[in-house]
Amino acid sequence: MTLTWALDPTVRHLNHGSFGAVPQPALDAQSAYRALMEGAPVRWFVGVPERIAAARARVAPHLGLTADDVAFVPNASAGATVVFSSLRAEPGGEVVVTDHGYGAVTMGAQRFARRWGCTVRTAHVPLAAGPEEAADAITAEFSDRTVLVVVDHVTSPTGRFLPVDRVSAAARARGIPVLVDGAHVPLMLADPLAGVDCDVWVGNLHKFGCAPRGSGVLVARGPVREQLCPLVDSWGTGKPFPVNFDEQGTQDFTSWLAAPDALDAVEREIGWDRVRRDATDLVERATDLVAGAFAELTGEDHRVDVGTPAVPFRLVRLPGPLGSGPGGGNALRDRVLAEFAVECAFTGFGDDAFLRLSAHAYNTLDDYADFAQRCVPALVAWSRDAD
């Protein structure tokens, strides 16, 4: 592969899922856009809306969409905030979320509910639930008072797909708006919205898609789209969606403009179909290797059944109380990075804590073999110290 990355070669990068990684051609494109901005600010900002519209037109086909369906936002959480800030609700209504939801988005849903005098209902979806069981668990929380449903396409803490197609269809039949948090999904799936009849779908281009940080998309279809307003009131106010999102003041929009350069570079140098296929194969082999290393030391099974695992994610169960102490998974993440120069993710669900493995084009099996050799023994020792 000829694609180059700006990643520090002295660090093992096993957590593409959290913040992604950007190929060098996209960083070069972003630097070129910044040079134009700084070289002639007036000329630059006058032309920004047209540049953003052109970037939308280049990104949309990678998502199986048209440019008229897509607006840029800083990230998926910002896209969710657009929905929470734009929609209205009658007092006494209910907002449905799940216990797999991303914390920041769930907090946004709670804020929306408080503002309009509504309550939040949380659907419990068993970790190993298949699509039908998961959909039934979510739709069971629907009622005549439901004003909004917020559901993850791929869950951050548990790395699994939720049946957003079934949930959206059930909500549509009852006239309930649906916000799908697809933070991890752009480019993870070739056609992410196929069969998903939701009102709003938000996703990050800077995760699996490898775009510069701060580039996300908001997709809106149907009557809700005309209610949506960007987070910054600017000269696009009053224009139809998504053009009203193309003018949001004097910001650095170069991550949005370079996003299609990242998507195109990966397609040109590797091919997104190959990236998805290779990442799935690699993360499955890596899981066997790492879970096996834990099992050799603990005598326990560390594999996790998540029902419908997402393409590049797998969970490995952590031993003992590891990951549940002060700071939880973040404290463990920071310690592993500081002591072993390995970037990885630790998550939790219910009473269990996990190592969340992910993979992308720059990873090799050696990355995970190194983790199994150096980090797994330390994690097992730390777990025994914590007992």
Side-chain angles (χ1 to χ4, degrees), residues 36-118:
L36 291 174
M37 176 175 63
E38 301 302 340
V42 173
R43 182 169 59 199
W44 172 262
F45 282 104
V46 168
V48 157
E50 289 75 20
R51 290 180 182 273
I52 292 176
R56 285 194 288 108
R58 291 176 60 195
V59 164
H62 285 283
L63 304 175
L65 301 168
T66 67
D68 290 340
D69 290 328
V70 179
F72 280 119
V73 288
N75 53 36
S77 296
T81 301
V82 165
V83 176
F84 299 141
S85 299
S86 299
L87 299 190
R88 302 174 63 87
E90 294 297 326
E94 297 176 344
V95 179
V96 173
V97 301
T98 81
D99 55 355
H100 294 252
Y102 185 64
V105 173
T106 297
M107 287 188 285
Q110 293 167 342
R111 178 176 61 83
F112 171 82
R114 287 194 302 270
R115 186 168 75 250
W116 296 105
C118 299

Side-chain angles (χ1 to χ4, degrees), residues 150-236:
V150 183
V151 60
D152 291 71
H153 204 153
V154 165
T155 62
S156 179
T158 50
R160 59 158 294 160
F161 287 112
L162 288 179
V164 293
D165 52 350
R166 300 182 186 216
V167 173
S168 295
R172 180 71 70 194
R174 301 183 63 159
I176 303 170
V178 176
L179 164 62
V180 173
D181 180 0
H184 295 276
V185 177
L187 282 300
M188 182 187 290
L189 297 178
D191 191 0
L193 277 92
V196 181
D197 187 20
C198 61
D199 296 272
V200 181
W201 184 95
V202 295
N204 291 320
L205 299 175
H206 61 243
K207 287 185 181 283
F208 199 80
C210 302
R213 252 70 65 172
S215 52
V217 291
L218 183 155
V219 179
R221 296 177 294 191
V224 167
R225 66 187 261 144
E226 299 309 327
Q227 301 177 44
L228 302 178
C229 299
L231 299 179
V232 177
D233 288 319
S234 190
W235 297 106

